[in-house]
Amino acid sequence: MTDRSHDRLQDPPLSARLTENAVAMADALRRNPTMLFGLVVLTVMALLAFGAPYFGLPEPMRQSPIDRLQDPSAAHWFGTDMYGRDLLSRVLHGGQISLVVGLSVAAMATSVGLVIGLVAGFNRRVDAIVMRFMDALMSIPSILLAIALVALWGSSVQNVIIALTIPEVPRVVRLVRSVVLMLRDQTFVQAAIACGTSTTRILFRHIMPNTIPPLIVQATYICAQAVIFEAYLSFVGAGTPPEIPSWGNIMAEGRMFFFQNFGIIMYPGIFLAITVFAINTFGDGLRDSLDPRMKRRI
Amino acid sequence: MFAYVVRRLLATIPIMALVAVFVFMLLHMSPGDPAVVIAGDFASVAQVEEIRTQLGLNDPLHVQFLNWAAGLFRGDLGTSIYSGLPVSRLIGQRIEPTFMLTLTTMIIAITLAIPLGVIAAWKVGTWIDRAVMTVAVLGFSLPVFVLGYALILGGSVRLGWFPVQGYTSIFTSFPGFLRHITLPALTLGLVYMALIARMTRATMLEVLNEDYVRTAYAKGLPTRKVLIKHALKNAMVPISTTIGLGLALLIGGVVVTESVFAIPGLGRLTVDAVLRTDYPVIQGVILVFSLTYVLLNLLIDLTYVLFDPRIRY
């Protein structure tokens, strides 16, 4: 019997596994109201941000100098900025950038970190070199590194995403590596090695699935942090280009006028805070339901 | 202990060397001609050429690196393209406000966070716990500048208790220093406090389940003594680690907070350098911050001895 067919015999079909996961997820959500709360808030945010073009609001970039720096009114719920642009429309559209940046950074940092961490954890020689490099990268405060990268590469959403991903990778690598090191000597891995299973197969089939739960939790924190850091980058002038509304940009532009209309900073700030708060509560909930030891205690 | 300190200090050398290589390579990893990037969109050919010569960009890469690294050993971080002043002098001029802001923030955050975390863990599940944790998660979720501007609006503009912006050196006037540092330190302190309070609560929850805590209660010690002498002392190692790792977050926050409150520190220097793509300054600031971060974390590792006599170096 080849190794491949042996695996197939043991594994239930993919569809069954997916249903099983979906049921487990629904169960976890039911038992964990804070996680459900986070997920609901996030869904609402995403609907508001990506549905913004269809709400019949003024164009986020349409200037109307005569209406500038207005207080909230029936026509402009959040008031207007220094160019007379509708703040509500800008804040809702701005959510698109923040959510895209947050999700992309989380997805990229975890996938790159996962591959490097798996290899480093399993191969001592690679480990020695890679981890020294990661230590060095971790010694540079992440925002400074991201600021320097965007300053050199130029402002674009893509550059912001890459610049925020690079400093996060070493932390993911460390996490994955620690799980791999722990599992490497466990019986089921030793058994797989004894059966002559290829290293790639052991890594991706037997070890990787065990790294996923802590990794998902880590991904939520990376996502939350990336949303804040996007705002920091835009604020210091090394972020999303000014012609694209993002929460960071709107607040950065509003700082000159915060005496006249604090709403320019406050409204995007509140939206950002709610979003990050929701991601963090969702992450906390996930951690509690994925880590049974934590759940019992809290 | 002394041997351990020396060994750890020596171990930071290769890490800092790699950081230096990395910081050096940043400029060369950028797409296109570094001289053009630095000169900006409106520079003439002659200006680009001047920058190229000034930074020695015509030399082969390894020669450039060796020249630059040799300079680092002499404390020469290069010359600012914008002001023409040595980067080390620019950093020296700006370091005091940043140092004082970081120190004040740490004092405020740690003195608030640890008691809050301990109380939350002690009263776990009650409204006190929930309130502390909500503030902690909120502190994580709010960008520092939103809180900063809100505090300026409330504390300076409405109430008039604090100056709106600016900085007074502690050596010039202590009351003036306090008036200027309070709002920025509170702003920055909330984020840092959130981090430490969460960690304190989590570790305390773990420690409070230990047998020796039960024993301490059983032999009739007052709660305060059990919490502080038995539980907190054992929880201090992970808490100090978090304080150390959180410094990276704090340094990032300093950059933004200094812009909000117009404090002439390293953060402002960085932001100005970014706007002018003054690359030698950016390089210098990153190196200084990274070195500080690494050394402070080493210092924190050494404090473990204070909390846990089992740890011997």
Side-chain angles (χ1 to χ4, degrees):
Chain A
M1 194 192 295
T2 65
D3 171 57
R4 189 163 281 273
S5 63
H6 179 75
D7 265 16
R8 276 216 196 97
L9 277 178
Q10 286 186 327
D11 286 340
L14 183 69
S15 59
R17 265 186 290 157
L18 282 180
T19 336
E20 193 186 312
N21 285 342
V23 170
M25 183 79 187
D27 201 41
L29 279 175
R30 193 172 48 76
R31 262 183 297 161
N32 196 331
T34 46
M35 189 161 101
L36 185 65
F37 166 80
L39 193 64
V40 169
V41 173
L42 274 181
T43 315
V44 172
M45 274 297 170
L47 287 177
L48 284 177
F50 292 97
Y54 311 105
F55 294 159
L57 293 164
E59 280 288 303
M61 300 308 288
R62 208 193 57 209
Q63 304 190 1
S64 166
I66 199 162
D67 297 324
R68 67 175 182 272
L69 294 171
Q70 280 187 3
D71 286 334
S73 63
H76 305 285
W77 287 6
F78 286 179
T80 57
D81 71 1
M82 57 286 181
Y83 300 117
R85 297 176 295 196
D86 182 60
L87 254 182
L88 174 64
S89 170
R90 286 179 68 72
V91 169
L92 293 188
H93 281 87
Q96 295 178 2
I97 297 295
S98 296
L99 289 175
V100 166
V101 169
L103 290 176
S104 315
V105 171
M108 280 171 52
T110 39
S111 32
V112 174
L114 174 64
V115 174
I116 301 180
L118 281 176
V119 176
F122 218 72
N123 184 318
R124 281 172 206 276
R125 216 171 306 159
V126 177
D127 187 50
I129 300 167
V130 167
M131 289 322 284
R132 290 299 79 70
F133 193 72
M134 293 295 149
D135 283 347
L137 204 50
M138 271 175 80
S139 321
I140 308 176
S142 24
I143 302 188
L144 281 182
L145 182 56
I147 289 176
L149 289 174
V150 181
L152 284 168
W153 292 344
S155 291
S156 77
V157 178
Q158 190 195 333
N159 287 348
V160 167
I161 292 174
I162 302 174
L164 289 177
T165 301
I166 292 176
E168 294 301 332
V169 168
R171 288 167 186 84
V172 179
V173 171
R174 280 216 161 172
L175 177 74
V176 174
R177 176 178 172 270
S178 68
V179 177
V180 177
L181 287 181
M182 202 174 68
L183 292 176
R184 200 169 56 181
D185 299 322
Q186 301 239 326
T187 329
F188 73 96
V189 175
Q190 295 298 326
I193 296 175
C195 287
T197 316
S198 74
T199 310
T200 338
R201 202 171 166 75
I202 292 178
L203 274 182
F204 287 96
R205 189 82 199 192
H206 297 277
I207 291 184
M208 195 180 84
N210 289 296
T211 62
I212 300 298
L215 208 53
I216 294 177
V217 175
Q218 185 74 9
T220 59
Y221 297 138
I222 293 178
C223 179
Q225 191 167 315
V227 173
I228 291 190
F229 281 8
E230 184 277 325
Y232 284 7
L233 286 182
S234 300
F235 191 79
V236 300
T240 316
E243 65 272 16
I244 306 174
S246 82
W247 288 335
N249 268 343
I250 302 170
M251 290 187 273
E253 288 170 1
R255 68 177 135 175
M256 298 295 188
F257 305 92
F258 84 98
F259 282 120
Q260 290 99 320
N261 185 355
F262 188 60
I264 307 179
I265 291 177
M266 189 181 68
Y267 291 117
I270 291 176
F271 270 69
L272 191 149
I274 293 176
T275 307
V276 176
F277 184 79
I279 303 174
N280 277 331
T281 23
F282 181 65
D284 284 351
L286 263 183
R287 188 198 52 206
D288 296 347
S289 52
L290 289 176
D291 184 348
R293 203 172 58 94
M294 296 289 284
K295 187 171 62 187
R296 246 183 290 120
R297 215 173 46 212
I298 295 171
Chain B
M1 179 80 181
F2 179 71
Y4 176 80
V5 175
V6 173
R7 201 148 22 95
R8 282 292 305 264
L9 277 174
L10 288 177
T12 60
I13 293 175
I15 289 188
M16 283 317 293
L18 265 178
V19 171
V21 173
F22 202 79
V23 169
F24 173 80
M25 286 308 293
L26 278 182
L27 182 59
H28 297 274
M29 286 189 328
S30 52
D33 186 342
V36 176
V37 173
I38 290 175
D41 295 338
F42 304 108
S44 65
V45 179
Q47 281 170 315
V48 173
E49 208 45 55
E50 195 186 325
I51 285 175
R52 207 190 302 277
T53 333
Q54 192 191 334
L55 290 178
L57 291 172
N58 289 320
D59 298 333
L61 206 56
H62 64 279
V63 176
Q64 288 181 44
F65 179 71
L66 290 178
N67 284 338
W68 181 69
L72 290 186
F73 278 105
R74 293 192 305 266
D76 174 9
L77 291 168
T79 311
S80 159
I81 294 168
Y82 177 76
S83 63
L85 294 168
V87 174
S88 47
R89 197 201 301 173
L90 285 174
I91 291 179
Q93 286 169 351
R94 304 289 196 104
I95 211 156
E96 193 238 300
T98 303
F99 176 78
M100 293 314 297
L101 174 60
T102 317
L103 191 70
T104 323
T105 304
M106 286 182 76
I107 293 174
I108 293 181
I110 295 173
T111 45
L112 283 177
I114 293 183
L116 281 178
V118 171
I119 292 171
W122 176 38
K123 298 278 179 197
V124 62
T126 63
W127 66 270
I128 302 177
D129 177 31
R130 247 171 260 135
V132 171
M133 289 317 282
T134 309
V135 172
V137 182
L138 268 181
F140 264 13
S141 311
L142 212 59
V144 287
F145 50 82
V146 176
L147 185 66
Y149 282 116
L151 284 179
I152 293 183
L153 209 59
S156 311
V157 181
R158 296 271 154 77
L159 297 172
W161 290 351
F162 301 99
V164 174
Q165 283 173 326
Y167 179 75
T168 305
S169 166
I170 192 167
F171 304 112
T172 321
S173 145
F174 186 66
F177 164 77
L178 278 186
R179 274 161 46 81
H180 279 102
I181 209 77
T182 309
L183 289 187
L186 277 179
T187 305
L188 202 49
L190 185 74
V191 185
Y192 200 45
M193 188 189 87
L195 186 75
I196 303 169
R198 268 173 76 106
M199 193 63 196
T200 308
R201 176 181 174 274
T203 329
M204 282 295 286
L205 279 179
E206 218 161 286
V207 173
L208 286 176
N209 270 336
E210 297 282 346
D211 292 342
Y212 56 78
V213 171
R214 194 169 356 112
T215 312
Y217 274 122
K219 70 181 184 187
L221 287 183
T223 311
R224 194 168 47 91
K225 212 161 186 182
V226 177
L227 282 178
I228 295 171
K229 284 210 106 165
H230 292 251
L232 182 61
K233 204 171 171 193
N234 277 291
M236 270 319 278
V237 168
I239 296 173
S240 342
T241 313
T242 309
I243 293 176
L245 294 178
L247 276 170
L249 200 69
L250 193 57
I251 289 171
V254 164
V255 174
V256 179
T257 310
E258 286 184 356
S259 310
V260 173
F261 290 93
I263 297 171
L266 287 181
R268 271 300 290 252
L269 186 67
T270 318
V271 175
D272 292 344
V274 164
L275 295 177
R276 298 166 184 146
T277 35
D278 195 343
Y279 197 68
V281 176
I282 302 181
Q283 272 181 329
V285 173
I286 294 185
L287 277 177
V288 168
F289 271 132
S290 305
L291 184 65
T292 319
Y293 178 57
V294 169
L295 290 182
L296 278 176
N297 272 295
L298 169 61
L299 201 68
I300 283 175
D301 278 3
L302 296 178
T303 63
Y304 292 168
V305 186
L306 296 178
F307 307 121
D308 192 342
R310 283 169 304 185
I311 298 177
R312 287 255 175 275
Y313 292 126

